[in-house]
Amino acid sequence: MSLLKLASILLPLAIGPLFGQAVSSDSAPSNRPARRWVTSVSSGFADCFQLTLGGLFGEGPAWQTKVTTGISNAVVKGDMLYLHGWNTHDSPSHSNDWMAGLAYKAPVWKHRDQFLSLGTGFYKLRFPSVKTGVNDWMIPINLQYQAKPKLPILVTSDAWTLPTSTLQRGTLLHTQGWVIHPLVKRDDVQVQFRHGPAHTHSWGFWGTQGERIWRYQTMLVISWKNTTLEGGYRKQWGQQPGMQHNTFWQFALTRTFTM
């Protein structure tokens, strides 16, 4: 491959994020859709700030905001290279806990109506509300499996590892399973009911060990055009002394922009 041809492929990938523009179809390989700049903004309220490990923080309700922006079809068809930021604001105390970072996910296997994707990246965690204060770096690894039989199934497994920590380094594994019931499926609007279990196990993450929580989660998702409204309710069962059994609710409105 000539240097000129190689540059014509790599240069749009390098400068695309700087200008926030889609790369023209002439610059993209013919076997991959054109790159697109995709941004999602989500905002809503939750019961409080609750960790994957199971702990609750703040009196609530918590105003939670999430922003994701990046390039789809960046390297291969169906992948995404993106920046991600999330903030939870406790309404009574006005305290903020947040995380932000860079991530990449891509499809790694497909067979008929089954799909598997893999993702990783790095994140900065700043949680003043947690114990004596968290100011950590984290490396996530995400594995997502999706199948589409009569009732679609979605399984996600997230491994979070702390290379540095103000508390204690370690790894946790959070696994969720969802059964998706399509209630309304039209061109202009879709309604889904989702439900399924979740589990968290820890290996030294912030000084925690072993099984932490089991949950059963439910969610109603309404989508139209580029907008999604979702509301969820879940029950948690603590697996160790001091871990509370509790319930949790949340709802959020998400808008997605594509260029």
Side-chain angles (χ1 to χ4, degrees):
M1 179 182 290
S2 68
L3 292 177
L4 182 60
K5 186 174 182 181
L6 181 61
S8 69
I9 297 174
L10 295 181
L11 187 59
L13 178 59
I15 68 174
L18 300 178
F19 295 96
Q21 296 177 345
V23 179
S24 70
S25 58
D26 294 336
S27 301
S30 58
N31 62 345
R32 187 187 68 231
R35 299 184 184 102
R36 292 288 183 263
W37 188 269
V38 182
T39 300
S40 292
V41 180
S42 176
S43 187
F45 282 89
D47 202 346
C48 61
F49 172 31
Q50 184 168 35
L51 290 174
T52 304
L53 290 166
L56 298 170
F57 302 90
E59 298 181 14
W63 178 26
Q64 299 187 339
T65 304
K66 179 174 66 176
V67 178
T68 300
T69 184
I71 302 174
S72 65
N73 304 315
V75 180
V76 298
K77 179 181 178 181
D79 73 348
M80 189 164 184
L81 176 67
Y82 60 97
L83 295 168
H84 172 83
W86 177 85
N87 182 79
T88 179
H89 175 86
D90 185 59
S91 298
S93 66
H94 301 291
S95 63
N96 290 281
D97 297 87
W98 59 267
M99 62 184 292
L102 175 69
Y104 176 76
K105 62 179 181 180
V108 294
W109 178 77
K110 178 181 178 182
H111 178 67
R112 296 180 180 176
D113 59 355
Q114 299 180 79
F115 307 88
L116 188 68
S117 64
L118 180 66
T120 188
F122 60 90
Y123 284 82
K124 178 67 174 180
L125 307 183
R126 190 69 181 94
F127 297 159
S129 302
V130 178
K131 295 186 176 182
T132 56
V134 168
N135 189 10
D136 298 354
W137 286 97
M138 181 183 77
I139 298 175
I141 297 178
N142 170 264
L143 191 64
Q144 180 173 296
Y145 168 80
Q146 187 173 7
K148 297 182 178 180
K150 291 183 178 180
L151 285 179
I153 298 170
L154 176 65
V155 180
T156 63
S157 188
D158 293 279
W160 294 357
T161 299
L162 300 172
T164 64
S165 177
T166 52
L167 299 178
Q168 182 175 325
R169 292 181 297 172
T171 298
L172 67 78
L173 180 66
H174 178 57
T175 303
Q176 305 177 77
W178 296 93
V179 178
I180 303 172
H181 299 262
L183 304 180
V184 177
K185 191 173 183 180
R186 298 202 302 262
D187 292 339
D188 55 342
V189 64
Q190 296 187 31
V191 181
Q192 296 179 344
F193 175 69
R194 306 176 182 179
H195 64 97
H199 175 257
T200 300
H201 192 98
S202 174
W203 294 269
F205 197 100
W206 294 339
T208 61
Q209 293 287 348
E211 285 190 274
R212 295 295 292 174
I213 53 95
W214 279 97
R215 291 172 178 160
Y216 201 86
Q217 308 178 125
T218 61
M219 182 171 290
L220 184 67
V221 181
I222 304 172
S223 303
W224 66 99
K225 295 184 179 179
N226 297 322
T227 304
T228 301
L229 176 64
E230 59 184 35
Y233 181 84
R234 69 184 182 224
K235 175 69 178 177
Q236 172 176 294
W237 295 273
Q239 299 299 293
Q240 298 178 2
M243 290 297 300
Q244 298 179 357
H245 302 331
N246 56 51
T247 58
F248 183 89
W249 59 264
Q250 63 181 14
F251 70 89
L253 183 67
T254 301
R255 185 68 187 270
T256 301
F257 306 90
T258 302
M259 295 187 292

